[in-house]
Amino acid sequence: MLEKTDSVIAGLIEKELEYQKSTIRLIASENYASKAVMEATGSILTNKYAEGYPTKRYYAGNRYVDEIEILAIERAKKLFGVGHANMQPHAGASANIAAFYAFLEIGDRFMGLDLAHGGHLTHGSPVNFSGKWFKAFSYGVSRETEVLDYDEIRKMALQEKPKMIICGYTAYPMVIDFRAFREICDEVGAIMMADISHIAGLIAGNVYPSPAKYADVITSTTHKTLRGPRSAMILCPEENAKAIDKAVFPGLQGGPLEHSIAAKAVCFHEAMQPEFGEYASQVIKNAKVLADELVASGLRLVGGKTETHLILLDLTKKNITGKDAQIALEEAGIITNRNTIPFDTRSPFITSGLRIGTAAMTTRGMKETDMKELAAMIVKIIENPADSAVKERVSEEVKEICRKFPIYGE
Ligand code: DSN
């Protein structure tokens, strides 16, 4: 049908499909949603207005939509072990805005990890609402170890007296001590907000600790390691349900995207299956092997290793910027993203780092031995970014691997 109505868009989607099939995807925040998730996303639910919450809507005709949203909520509560779940945020940034809206007033003080150290834009960057409308205090990782120093975070909290402290990051390869954050928050009387966007699938698969029993509010996207639709959610204990729900609607949003909420319900159902635990475990195993191989080949990792799905390469000593490494890898068919590293001397547009994640290629079926091949290809490109013969040879290997690990069974 799309082909008939709009052959231009249909053609571009077809090209994108071929592109996704024939390239290696290592962007740490990407994954391949299942066909079932995509079917729900593309469903007739897009036709329905449902402002409000299940059984308390401002429009008629929501009998099935209510059932769907209630199912999504109940599945999320069960999967993540929380008292309340809000399924309506459209994206990670909107979920984070809602958490601010629920607990802070304009101008209030809060703490989050510095963007250059792995925090997200919405965790206090000066170019974002969080840094413009609130008083942000950014903590960093230790210069020596490149991991979080909880004593330093505590000291900053005691000094700055934030009303909220955010943990959970965008480019931090280690396990977070959520209990330590709870203790710091209790000591200074701060709200503890955990943004688990990157690690939600690892938590759901029981291979990464959950903040559920510590955090006052948990925000997350649903499309990264969790492998659901491009969307988000907010989880919290029952006592914060009202504040969160009011913040999302009517505070910030109008009609919820029920097609996306249905797809989230499907994603949670998938994540409850034993195979998802195996998947999450394989994501981390793959990342660890990839990290070890890169280190063995002479590359430096921020923090020296990974404990998650993501690896942050420090290219400072390699005579190549993050941007140029990203471009050279893309030319060979390997899709990554440049990323600032802690204490980076280059701008966020150029960077000295490259972020790599294993969630998507693990969905395609790659295992530890395949990671060794991948590492060798990445190293070849980073060592010879301008050598077109090397890039040509690697792109042939990429095509071979993509044939071996098809997406959607094709
Ligand atoms: N853009 C996401 C990421 O790549 O980590 C965070 O929002």
Side-chain angles (χ1 to χ4, degrees), residues 27-30 92-93 120 169-171 197-198 221 223-224 337 355:
I27 291 182
S29 47
E30 289 184 357
H120 189 252
Y169 315 109
T170 294
S197 294
H198 264 266
T221 50
H223 50 270
K224 297 185 172 93
N337 71 277
R355 193 182 65 161

Side-chain angles (χ1 to χ4, degrees), residues 48 55 57 59-70:
K48 190 69 199 99
T55 73
R57 307 284 191 184
Y59 293 81
N62 282 298
R63 63 183 73 166
Y64 301 117
V65 160
D66 275 2
E67 274 193 53
I68 287 167
E69 191 165 337
I70 288 168

Side-chain angles (χ1 to χ4, degrees), residues 32-252:
Y32 299 96
S34 70
K35 279 194 165 174
V37 163
M38 291 196 294
E39 201 175 314
T41 309
S43 70
I44 42 75
L45 291 164
T46 196
N47 300 336
K48 190 69 199 99
Y49 246 119
E51 272 181 31
Y53 288 103
T55 73
K56 282 176 245 141
R57 307 284 191 184
Y58 291 80
Y59 293 81
N62 282 298
R63 63 183 73 166
Y64 301 117
V65 160
D66 275 2
E67 274 193 53
I68 287 167
E69 191 165 337
I70 288 168
L71 256 180
I73 291 168
E74 292 307 318
R75 286 178 184 173
K77 282 163 61 178
K78 189 166 172 207
L79 185 60
F80 291 97
V82 291
H84 182 70
N86 186 306
M87 289 298 117
Q88 297 194 0
H90 304 321
S94 22
N96 287 354
I97 293 169
F100 276 79
Y101 195 91
F103 297 112
L104 269 53
E105 300 293 331
I106 298 284
D108 272 349
R109 305 156 80 83
F110 78 99
M111 281 170 55
L113 183 64
D114 194 313
L115 183 70
H117 292 224
H120 189 252
L121 273 173
T122 54
H123 299 177
S125 160
V127 298
N128 181 262
F129 86 92
S130 54
K132 277 185 192 282
W133 296 344
F134 299 89
K135 184 101 187 81
F137 296 91
S138 299
Y139 58 90
V141 296
S142 144
R143 196 178 268 276
E144 288 73 46
T145 61
E146 295 173 313
V147 299
L148 295 174
D149 179 336
Y150 295 93
D151 290 334
E152 285 303 315
I153 296 169
R154 177 175 172 267
K155 266 190 222 161
M156 182 185 258
L158 287 169
Q159 187 178 318
E160 306 301 351
K161 302 193 174 20
K163 199 163 166 191
M164 182 162 85
I165 301 180
I166 304 176
C167 56
Y169 315 109
T170 294
Y172 184 68
M174 306 304 170
V175 166
I176 300 162
D177 186 345
F178 291 118
R179 184 209 288 252
F181 273 103
R182 178 71 267 165
E183 285 168 5
I184 296 168
C185 286
D186 282 344
E187 205 174 342
V188 301
I191 296 286
M192 175 179 165
M193 167 177 161
D195 178 345
I196 61 164
S197 294
H198 264 266
I199 50 179
L202 307 180
I203 292 170
N206 289 315
V207 294
Y208 190 102
S210 167
K213 55 176 186 207
Y214 304 115
D216 298 299
V217 57
I218 299 171
T219 58
S220 185
T221 50
T222 47
H223 50 270
K224 297 185 172 93
T225 50
L226 191 54
R227 215 163 58 180
R230 184 156 295 275
S231 193
M233 63 181 171
I234 304 180
L235 313 171
C236 63
E238 187 58 42
E239 70 254 30
N240 292 332
K242 218 170 174 183
I244 288 299
D245 284 356
K246 274 170 67 183
V248 175
F249 175 87
L252 295 162

